Amino acid sequence: MPDNIYFLATGGGVTFGGGEPLLYADFISEFTRKMPEEWKITIESSLNVPNKNIFKVAQFADLLVIDIKDMDEFIYKQYTGKDNSFVLANLKWLVDNGYADKTIIRIPLIKNYNNKSNQIKSREILESIGFSRFDIFIQMLPYFRSMEAFSHFDFSLYNEIDSSKKTTSNICSLRKKY
């Protein structure tokens, strides 16, 4: 594999994301069986899939990044058009099977759907289930060229990830950049 030297030198690997990668759990499972063991695997998912899909690939993931939208069933359904029963069952399965420590839960602030209080409540629910790593952020719109549009926000709530780890959605890092 041509990327092997680069991945070995950098400790890098492959991220499966976009759409819902767990709909392709068989492909991910087959890919991870064929790739070099040293490669890191990250899976970004909403977990709104049957449990068999997460069961097939969780063992291969070095990191799971779960975008739960909101833990409130009504808000979740209003935003996604679907209920969150698969999400809840899969979150519980991850905790019960020892994957909570390698999971980051994203809790976005979604304009016209939830608010900071909803984010806090979602985090409390997730902590009670057994999760401890969170990425709480504002859903950024692509046409904002600077953070000036957000100058009235209190960003302290949104700096939830260990600052030594670089993530594209860490809102405080984005603010410093602009």
Side-chain angles (χ1 to χ4, degrees), residues 76-153:
Y76 187 92
K77 188 166 188 161
Q78 287 295 309
Y79 186 69
T80 67
K82 297 182 177 187
D83 70 44
N84 63 353
S85 57
F86 279 140
V87 177
L88 300 175
N90 286 329
L91 287 168
K92 184 172 178 1
W93 185 88
L94 287 172
V95 170
D96 291 347
N97 288 278
Y99 294 103
D101 288 342
K102 62 164 127 180
T103 302
I104 296 174
I105 306 287
R106 287 186 174 155
I107 309 172
L109 179 64
I110 308 168
K111 185 178 179 180
N112 299 323
Y113 289 94
N114 67 356
N115 57 44
K116 249 166 111 165
S117 295
N118 298 121
Q119 286 180 303
I120 292 167
K121 185 172 182 181
S122 289
R123 180 180 176 150
E124 290 170 351
I125 293 168
L126 290 157
E127 285 175 331
S128 74
I129 294 171
F131 292 99
S132 60
R133 298 173 67 195
F134 300 93
D135 186 2
I136 299 175
F137 64 98
I138 297 171
Q139 186 168 13
M140 301 293 289
L141 299 175
Y143 51 81
F144 285 116
R145 295 187 187 269
S146 76
M147 293 301 293
E148 291 174 30
F150 297 99
S151 61
H152 62 284
F153 280 103

